[in-house]
């Protein structure tokens, strides 16, 4: 084969591998809530650049914006206040789930197939918080059942943790963002009171934040996960205080979906899990 045929083959292999990776992590839809008509955008740009033909030429229609509509802050506050009331009145996890099912303050509910509430042992000493359901989780209504969840299960098993025995797991958001896009601040703020109550009801002895969205949200920090990971923090919230629960030790670590893309980083995640194991052992002695 000639070198240019080889180049074409390897470029194609790289593209196929990149596509396969997208499928593996659950990116099965175009990102964005609305379809973007790129032909219309190109036509609009061309028309804007061209000199006007006649003064009465019809205007080219403007394509719809491809960005998420922003929610006014006042109405975000009202949504969060309503969420706090609804979540705060849930006496147990079953009531909290029912309350979330009736909550209309987060539009992700309308595009998701299922509510993904939580899984594992409700009496667990260790509670993990991921980011948001992906395609598989949305389909099954359970957190971390796709490829990244499988990696997570394997890693946890090496430190004696499993959702069948001694952990509980949930996410920052209970509904899948379309196309696995990054959750918006408004979506997170709307759902956060439910998560805060969720944590207070499980009352774990240790929290593990999986990935940047989880760590930044629950620690109120702005740094990225590579800076935040590997350290112990104390998670606190008005919901914990109202329930008379002391701040909970929390470890931030890398998200398993990131580890699938950057396997060399598994080493760091192992260190974090070993630190969790050691701390847990001091609790159970
Ligand atoms: N990623 C998450 O953060 N949560 C899931 O439940 C699945 C993938």
């Amino acid at each position: 084969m000639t070198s240019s045929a080889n180049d074409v083959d390897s470029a194609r292999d790289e593209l196929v591998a990149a596509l396969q990776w997208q499928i593996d992590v659950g990116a099965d839809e175009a990102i964005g809530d609305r379809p973007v008509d790129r032909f219309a955008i190109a036509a609009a740009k061309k028309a804007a650049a061209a000199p006007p033909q006649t003064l009465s030429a019809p205007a080219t229609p403007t394509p719809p914006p491809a960005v998420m509509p922003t929610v006014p802050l006042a109405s975000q506050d009202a949504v969060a206040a309503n969420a706090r009331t609804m979540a705060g009145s849930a006496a147990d996890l079953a009531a909290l789930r029912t309350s979330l099912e009736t909550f209309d303050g987060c539009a992700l509910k309308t595009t998701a197939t299922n509510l993904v509430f939580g899984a594992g042992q409700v009496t667990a000493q260790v509670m993990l918080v991921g980011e948001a359901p992906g395609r598989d989780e949305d389909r099954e209504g359970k957190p971390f059942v796709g490829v990244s969840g499988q990696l997570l299960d394997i890693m946890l098993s090496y430190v004696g943790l499993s959702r069948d025995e001694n952990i509980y797991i949930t996410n920052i958001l209970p509904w899948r963002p379309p196309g696995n896009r990054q959750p918006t601040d408004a979506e997170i703020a709307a759902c956060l009171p439910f998560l805060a109550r969720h944590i207070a009801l499980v009352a774990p002895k240790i929290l593990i934040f999986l990935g940047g969205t989880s760590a930044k949200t629950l620690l109120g920090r702005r740094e990225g996960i590579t800076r935040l990971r590997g350290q112990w923090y104390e998670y606190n919230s008005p919901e914990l205080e109202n329930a008379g629960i002391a701040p909970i030790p929390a470890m931030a670590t890398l998200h398993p979906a990131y580890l699938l893309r950057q396997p060399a980083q598994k080493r760091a995640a192992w260190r974090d899990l070993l630190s969790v194991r050691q701390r847990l052992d001091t609790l159970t002695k």
Side-chain angles (χ1 to χ4, degrees):
M1 220 187 312
T2 64
S3 75
S4 74
N6 272 333
D7 289 350
V8 170
D9 276 356
S10 86
R12 191 195 51 221
D13 288 350
E14 272 178 31
L15 288 171
V16 169
L19 187 60
Q20 185 59 48
W21 177 80
Q22 300 255 8
I23 294 167
D24 288 347
V25 298
D28 60 341
E29 292 170 20
I31 290 180
D33 265 5
R34 300 179 190 189
V36 180
D37 183 348
R38 302 210 182 271
F39 292 109
I41 294 172
K45 277 193 187 148
K46 203 168 159 192
Q53 303 275 309
T54 65
L55 284 177
S56 60
T60 310
T62 316
V67 292
M68 292 291 297
T70 48
V71 183
L73 281 177
S75 86
Q76 277 182 34
D77 287 350
V79 168
N82 181 36
R84 269 194 300 278
T85 308
M86 289 178 73
S89 60
D92 55 26
L93 290 175
L96 187 67
R97 186 192 174 105
T98 307
S99 192
L100 254 180
E101 280 164 353
T102 57
F103 177 60
D104 284 327
C106 178
L108 293 176
K109 182 183 179 179
T110 60
T111 49
T113 310
N114 280 301
L115 169 77
V116 178
F117 185 70
Q121 308 307 308
V122 295
T123 54
Q125 290 194 312
V126 179
M127 178 170 183
L128 293 92
V129 184
E131 178 176 312
R135 179 190 53 180
D136 298 316
E137 292 76 19
D138 181 49
R139 211 179 273 156
E140 291 195 32
K142 292 188 193 136
F144 283 100
V145 290
V147 275
S148 64
Q150 287 156 23
L151 173 62
L152 180 66
D153 283 344
I154 293 170
M155 294 185 69
L156 291 172
S157 73
Y158 283 105
V159 288
L161 298 175
S162 124
R163 58 181 103 188
D164 293 332
E165 287 172 27
N166 49 14
I167 64 150
Y168 185 83
I169 189 159
T170 188
N171 282 305
I172 293 283
L173 289 181
W175 293 288
R176 181 194 186 198
N180 295 352
R181 66 158 168 73
Q182 186 75 16
T184 65
D185 290 348
E187 288 158 356
I188 293 176
C191 298
L192 194 56
F194 290 94
L195 176 62
R197 183 74 182 139
H198 208 150
I199 294 172
L201 287 169
V202 175
K205 296 280 180 277
I206 288 177
L207 280 160
I208 302 177
F209 303 146
L210 297 169
T213 301
S214 174
K216 287 193 270 185
T217 303
L218 293 172
L219 296 172
R221 302 278 289 253
R222 298 175 71 90
E223 302 98 305
I225 188 64
T226 44
R227 276 186 184 267
L228 294 174
R229 65 144 286 275
Q231 296 173 58
W232 285 99
Y233 302 89
E234 292 220 315
Y235 166 79
N236 203 0
S237 70
E239 286 77 3
L240 276 192
E241 282 169 14
N242 290 342
I245 299 171
I248 302 172
M251 166 62 69
T253 191
L254 302 166
H255 194 286
Y258 173 74
L259 298 177
L260 286 171
R261 300 193 300 274
Q262 303 285 339
Q265 297 297 319
K266 282 184 191 165
R267 206 184 157 92
W270 279 122
R271 278 203 296 270
D272 304 343
L273 289 181
L274 285 173
S275 180
V276 168
R277 181 71 254 175
Q278 279 168 358
R279 189 144 191 165
L280 192 56
D281 288 343
T282 62
L283 292 178
T284 45
K285 265 185 196 148

